Amino acid sequence: MRRRRFLGAGGSAVAGLSLLPGFALGADVVEIGMSGRPDGSKVWFDPLGVLIQPGQTVRWTNHDKGNSHTATAYAPENQGHPRRIPDGATPFDSDYLLPGESFETVLTVPGVYDYLCLPHEMAGMVGRIIVAAPEPGDLTGYPDGDLPKVVLDGFPSITEILKQKNVYRMGG
């Protein structure tokens, strides 16, 4: 009987914590995979576009058995890249993740976060996260000409992410 009370109290405590701002339970973690073809000819993030709420955790996991990858925010602090994350947001960088390794960060500032895999940016391995409250504000005027075309073509549109919430890559 004591064990049931203890387990019940623990469950209540976890449920109570989930109501606190900024506290995310496992269901609030957004998973993004890092993958590639066995011959290394293509690499990608999947989903490559996601819509989350402020305070949610994003976790990238390298599922590619043949490559290491990074999840790196576009920001001058990260090897001089142009800033493509909201003002006031802290740039993230996973460093190199070997197969099976993960990296996670909590995004709190609303806006558009573009990110890349450092060794595979020119192969189009880029992604986009939109952090928005239930009613997203104005996301127009986002930069579109500050990166090479091959990179820009890799991002899903803001409109597509807002409509679908998760945008997955097509084909392999």
Side-chain angles (χ1 to χ4, degrees):
M1 189 67 168
R2 282 187 233 169
R3 184 169 188 231
R4 282 189 199 160
R5 279 191 208 146
F6 175 76
L7 292 174
S12 297
V14 169
L17 285 173
S18 69
L19 300 175
L20 296 175
F23 187 85
L25 292 174
D28 291 330
V29 175
V30 175
E31 299 280 348
I32 298 175
M34 304 160 133
S35 298
R37 288 185 180 167
D39 66 1
S41 63
K42 280 220 179 245
V43 287
W44 60 86
F45 293 107
D46 210 16
L48 59 106
V50 296
L51 174 63
I52 67 170
Q53 293 185 3
Q56 277 191 281
T57 300
V58 179
R59 179 185 303 131
W60 290 266
T61 301
N62 184 357
H63 301 294
D64 188 344
K65 291 179 178 37
N67 277 306
S68 60
H69 296 289
T70 73
T72 305
Y74 274 97
E77 298 88 337
N78 291 332
Q79 297 190 9
H81 284 86
R83 186 172 189 87
R84 296 178 65 93
I85 62 174
D87 289 336
T90 302
F92 55 86
D93 182 15
S94 65
D95 204 0
Y96 287 86
L97 300 174
L98 297 174
E101 292 183 329
S102 295
F103 165 77
E104 59 184 45
T105 190
V106 177
L107 302 177
T108 59
V109 178
V112 178
Y113 293 73
D114 286 346
Y115 63 93
L116 67 142
C117 172
L118 285 170
H120 301 113
E121 175 186 23
M122 296 318 259
M125 191 170 179
V126 296
R128 177 171 282 164
I129 300 167
I130 298 175
V131 177
E135 291 297 321
D138 182 20
L139 298 174
T140 60
Y142 198 70
D144 61 2
D146 57 348
L147 296 170
K149 184 175 178 357
V150 67
V151 174
L152 291 171
D153 288 348
F155 294 112
S157 74
I158 291 170
T159 304
E160 188 178 10
I161 295 169
L162 292 174
K163 180 179 167 187
Q164 296 182 28
K165 294 190 181 178
N166 289 318
V167 177
Y168 295 90
R169 66 180 291 283
M170 302 295 275

